[in-house]
Amino acid sequence: MDKQKVAARPQRSAKELMLRGSAWMTAGSILSRVLGAIYIIPWRIWLGAAYLTANSLFTKGYQIYNIFLIVSTAGVPGAISKQIARYNAMNEYKTGMRLFYHGAVAMSIMGVVACGLLWVLAPVLALRDAALTQVFRTLAWPLLLIPLLSVMRGFFQGYNEMAPSALSQFIEQVARVIYMLLMTYTIMVIGNHNYVDAVAQSTFAAFVGAVFGLLLLIGYFFHQRGRFAELAASSSGNVHISTKRILLEIAQQAFPFIVMGAATNLYYIIDQYTFDPMMLTHYIVSKHALGELYALFAGNANKLIMIVVSLAVAMASTALPLLAAAKTRGVGREIADNITNILQLFFIVMIPSALGMAAVSQPLYVVFFGYDKLGISVMELSSFLAVFFGLFTVLASVLQGLFHNRLAMKIMVVGVAVKFIFQWPLIVLFNVYGPTLATMLGMAASIALMLWQLRDLYHFKARQTLRRLVGITAFAVVMAVVVRVLVWLMSQVLNPASGMQSMLMLVVALPIGVAIYAYAVLKTRLADLIIGRRIGSIRQKLHIG
C-alpha cells in the first residue's frame, strides 16, 4: 500500500475516536468486572463458614500482587500507547513498531524477574503467615505473562484500536473465573475442604486467564501484521533513533506510569498495614474480627465499586493516545476540547452510575455477599468513593498524555500524604468507615490540584463543564431518590435478607433508574451536547421530543 492509499484511510474526529474507543474499553472492562464480581456468589456458598477468613486472605494477597504487577509492567503499556500514538501522528510508524518490539522483549525479562522476586519475598511480605505465603507464591506465576500481555494491549491502544484490548480482557476474565470456580468446587465440595488451598487455586487462576488473553492478542496481531507492515512502509523516515534511545524513551515515559498506576493500590496498601494497629489503639477487637472488618471495605465493597471505576479506566485508556497525538501536533484548541470532552463524558456516565449503586446498595450487597447491615452501609459509602477513584484515574491519564508526568506524580504524592495524615483520626472517629473517608480526602486533594493545573495550562471549558455537571448531578439525584424509595417499598413486602428476593429488587429497580436518567438527559438534549448529534437517533426511536 502506498502513502496515498494509507492517507486515504477514513479519519475520525478525536471525539468520535474517544466515544468509539470508550465504548469498546467500557464493554470489555464492565463485562470483566461483572464476571469478577459474579463469581463471588458460588465462591461464597462453597467456602461456607470459612468465607470471611478466605476473602480476607484473598484480598490481602491481591493488594500486594497488584503492586508487583504495576512494577513488573513498569508502566510500559501506557508509555508504549502514548509513544506509538506520538510517532504515528508524525507518520513514523516504523519507529513505533521498533519501540513495540524492544518493549516486548524488555517486558518479558521483567516478567521473569518479578515472578522470581515475589516467590522469594513471599514469606517476608506475608509476615511469616504460611497461608498468605502460599497465596503470594501462586500469584507469582501470572507475573511471567502479564507484562507482555499489557505491552500488546498498549500497542493496539496506540493505534486507537480498543477492540483487541477489550476482548482480551473479557476472555482473560472468563478463563480465570471458570478455573477458580472449578477448583474451589473440587476442593471445598469434593476434596479436602481446605479453604487455604481453595484461595491459592483461586489466585493461581490469574495465570490461566493471562494465557488465554495473551493467545488472543497474539492471534489478532498476526492477523493484522500485513496492515502494520504497510503502515511501516509508508513512514516518512525522518526520525532516526537508536535501540538504546528507544529503550531510554520507554523507561523515561514508563516511570511515571508506575507511580500513578500504583496510586489507588497504594491507598489500599496503607489500609492493609495500618488498619489493624490503628483500630487497636482505640477499640478492643480480636484479630479475626479485624480481618473481617478489613474485608468489608477493601474486599467486598472494592470488588463492586471497581465495576463502576472500570468505566473511568476505559475512558483513560482511550484518552491517553488521543491527547499524546494532539500534543505532538501542538494544536492548543484541540487539546482543550479533548479535555472538555473527556471530563463531560466522565461525568455523564460516572455520576449516575455511582449514585445508582448507592441507591441499590442493600439488595446489591445481599446478592453477592449475604445480608450484613454493616457491610451494606460500608458499601453505600464506598459507592461515592468510585467517583473519586474514577476522576483521579482520568485526570492522571490526561496529565500523562500531555507529558506532564512529574506534575502528575507530585500531585499524587500530595493526595497520599493527606490520606496518611487523616487515616488515624478518621479511624478513631468513624471506625471501619475511617479508611474510606481518608481515601476520599486524599483523592479530593489530588483531583482539585489536577483540575486547577489543567485549567491554568490549557483553558478547557470549565464553566461549561460545571454547568453541565450541575444538570447531570440533579438528574442523577432524582433517579437515585426514586430508586431508593422503590427499593424501600419493595423491602416492606419482600425479604431484604434473601438473595433471590434481593435479585428481584434489582431487576425491578435498575431498569427504572436507567429509564429515568436516560429520559432526562435525552429530553433536555444534554446527551446531545456531550455525546454528539448521533444520540438524536436514539431519542427519535424512543419518541422523546
Side-chain angles (χ1 to χ4, degrees), residues 17-47:
L17 287 171
M18 178 71 191
L19 291 170
R20 184 170 177 269
S22 293
W24 270 110
M25 293 302 290
T26 297
S29 297
I30 288 293
L31 288 172
S32 298
R33 292 291 182 180
V34 168
L35 275 174
I38 287 176
Y39 84 82
I40 295 167
I41 299 172
W43 199 68
R44 172 171 58 87
I45 293 170
W46 294 334
L47 283 163

Side-chain angles (χ1 to χ4, degrees), residues 476-490:
V477 168
V478 170
M479 174 271 294
V481 169
V482 172
V483 169
R484 188 60 174 266
V485 170
L486 184 59
V487 168
W488 180 80
L489 290 173
M490 286 190 289

Side-chain angles (χ1 to χ4, degrees), residues 4-76:
Q4 286 75 18
K5 289 181 179 179
V6 173
R9 195 177 287 274
Q11 299 295 313
R12 294 182 174 90
S13 69
K15 189 169 188 174
E16 287 176 326
L17 287 171
M18 178 71 191
L19 291 170
R20 184 170 177 269
S22 293
W24 270 110
M25 293 302 290
T26 297
S29 297
I30 288 293
L31 288 172
S32 298
R33 292 291 182 180
V34 168
L35 275 174
I38 287 176
Y39 84 82
I40 295 167
I41 299 172
W43 199 68
R44 172 171 58 87
I45 293 170
W46 294 334
L47 283 163
Y51 167 70
L52 290 175
T53 306
N55 191 36
S56 177
L57 182 63
F58 183 93
T59 302
K60 289 178 178 179
Y62 258 94
Q63 297 297 1
I64 297 298
Y65 163 73
N66 284 334
I67 294 294
F68 267 80
L69 186 60
I70 290 165
V71 174
S72 68
T73 55
V76 168

Side-chain angles (χ1 to χ4, degrees), residues 421-468:
I421 290 168
F422 284 95
Q423 180 85 337
W424 183 75
L426 288 176
I427 286 177
V428 170
L429 290 172
F430 299 104
N431 199 292
V432 71
Y433 306 101
T436 302
L437 292 170
T439 297
M440 286 182 177
L441 282 178
M443 287 284 176
S446 291
I447 288 166
L449 288 171
M450 287 177 178
L451 285 171
W452 182 76
Q453 289 287 348
L454 286 170
R455 173 61 179 160
D456 184 58
L457 291 167
Y458 297 102
H459 309 291
F460 70 88
K461 297 174 183 176
R463 291 183 180 179
Q464 181 195 88
T465 301
L466 183 60
R467 287 196 303 271
R468 293 177 181 178

Side-chain angles (χ1 to χ4, degrees), residues 202-326:
S202 297
T203 49
F204 180 74
F207 175 78
V208 177
V211 170
F212 282 86
L214 184 59
L215 288 175
L216 186 143
L217 287 178
I218 291 172
Y220 188 87
F221 179 83
F222 278 101
H223 179 69
Q224 294 288 321
R225 67 185 184 279
R227 184 171 69 86
F228 295 135
E230 290 167 354
L231 287 169
S234 74
S235 297
S236 298
N238 296 324
V239 172
H240 302 284
I241 184 170
S242 67
T243 300
K244 181 179 179 181
R245 179 63 186 275
I246 285 177
L247 294 174
L248 183 61
E249 275 194 8
I250 293 174
Q252 287 174 336
Q253 293 297 326
F255 180 72
F257 282 93
I258 298 176
V259 178
M260 300 307 294
T264 52
N265 292 105
L266 187 55
Y267 280 81
Y268 279 116
I269 292 295
I270 291 173
D271 293 336
Q272 181 165 325
Y273 287 101
T274 64
F275 181 69
D276 287 12
M278 287 182 177
M279 282 286 288
L280 291 172
T281 64
H282 202 73
Y283 301 97
I284 301 174
V285 192
S286 69
K287 183 178 180 180
H288 179 75
L290 283 172
E292 293 183 355
L293 288 174
Y294 172 78
L296 289 181
F297 65 88
N300 295 356
N302 181 55
K303 283 185 177 73
L304 295 180
I305 68 168
M306 289 310 291
I307 296 174
V308 177
V309 174
S310 65
L311 295 169
V313 174
M315 293 177 198
S317 298
T318 307
L320 186 66
L322 291 175
L323 287 167

